[in-house]
Amino acid sequence: MSVFKPVACDCPACGSTIRIDACDSVNGVRRPDLRQEILDDRFQRCRCSACRSEFRVQPAFTYLDVERGQWLLVRPAGDLADWQGFEAQARTIHAEAFGAAADPAAQAIGARLAVRVAFGWPAVREKLLCAVHGIDDVVLELLKLALLRQLGDLPLSDTVELRLVGADTRQLRLAWLQAEDGALAEQLEVPRELLDEMAAERADWQALHTELAAAAYVDWQRFLVEPA
């Protein structure tokens, strides 16, 4: 089920209070249109009824896609500092719906779901892109860490993140994006074969791979952002 709830929010451009339907949960199988809106970077974009400016509601919802084995707790980018708390919350919510107390059918579904936490629109879109292109998100985050070590003059800041924005059989398209609104700072392409090389060189990254593979917050920033 996909659930929306009416809420009041202030337009960031003119300050007018308007009512919108904010997303509380998305079922990517039953509502493929909503899944596509996330992939197209259009989901939860609103227009102010007073000044007609467009803005995007910060995400705060759960995402379920049984066919692709995904369950996500999605939070605003500004909640990143409390990633440990939300990682624990994600596991609790998933356990309540699909854990030992659930009926056998729900437990069978839950066993096939990878539990993830994502902060901000670029992050949740990245998780869906990984499913589209058959990319292991654990290996992707290790690749990002390797690139961060090798590349110089990075546009890295508290609000700019390195995210997957596209892929094909040969290339991965990565970009430095503003976490809040996805605004592009810089883009780069890397050969997709680097993912296979990272997987093959696991011994060099074993400790980080083990931590990420056991985590719900599978993101390179967990190693850099000091928890609140």
Side-chain angles (χ1 to χ4, degrees):
M1 180 181 294
S2 299
V3 178
F4 291 79
K5 57 185 178 183
V7 299
C9 67
D10 294 334
C11 170
C14 71
S16 297
T17 300
I18 62 174
R19 296 193 67 81
I20 62 169
D21 290 328
C23 180
D24 192 59
S25 66
V26 173
N27 187 312
V29 175
R30 295 182 179 179
R31 290 294 305 271
D33 57 321
L34 301 182
R35 173 178 172 271
Q36 192 60 51
E37 284 187 17
I38 296 174
L39 287 167
D40 293 341
D41 228 10
R42 296 183 290 111
F43 189 51
Q44 291 281 265
R45 291 193 181 276
C46 307
R47 187 174 297 278
C48 176
S49 57
C51 70
R52 308 305 298 168
S53 64
E54 185 180 274
F55 65 97
R56 195 172 195 182
V57 180
Q58 284 298 301
F61 61 91
T62 57
Y63 177 89
L64 171 66
D65 190 326
V66 175
E67 289 183 358
R68 298 169 183 84
Q70 291 184 297
W71 187 95
L72 286 80
L73 175 65
V74 186
R75 298 295 306 172
D79 287 348
L80 176 58
D82 192 22
W83 63 262
Q84 284 187 329
F86 286 109
E87 186 173 56
Q89 184 183 56
R91 295 196 184 281
T92 298
I93 296 172
H94 178 268
E96 290 173 350
F98 303 104
D103 63 69
Q107 291 182 46
I109 291 173
R112 303 197 303 270
L113 299 175
V115 179
R116 296 291 187 262
V117 182
F119 295 94
W121 291 113
V124 64
R125 181 174 183 266
E126 178 179 69
K127 294 303 182 187
L128 270 60
L129 283 172
C130 283
V132 169
H133 297 287
I135 295 172
D136 183 334
D137 63 341
V138 172
V139 179
L140 175 64
E141 297 308 312
L142 293 178
L143 176 59
K144 290 180 187 177
L145 287 170
L147 292 172
L148 290 172
R149 290 183 179 182
Q150 297 171 13
L151 299 174
D153 193 24
L154 302 175
L156 186 62
S157 74
D158 291 341
T159 61
V160 177
E161 306 172 332
L162 183 61
R163 294 292 174 198
L164 179 75
V165 295
D168 56 34
T169 57
R170 296 184 304 164
Q171 300 284 333
L172 301 176
R173 292 190 298 280
L174 302 174
W176 292 98
L177 303 174
Q178 290 287 340
E180 290 283 348
D181 59 10
L184 178 67
E186 188 176 317
Q187 190 164 326
L188 68 151
E189 292 189 351
V190 299
R192 183 160 178 161
E193 64 187 20
L194 290 181
L195 285 174
D196 297 329
E197 293 180 9
M198 289 299 303
E201 297 171 0
R202 183 174 295 182
D204 298 335
W205 298 85
Q206 189 59 56
L208 294 179
H209 186 281
T210 299
E211 181 174 343
L212 281 173
Y217 179 45
V218 178
D219 196 294
W220 61 275
Q221 292 188 105
R222 71 181 288 124
F223 303 116
L224 301 181
V225 177
E226 184 175 351

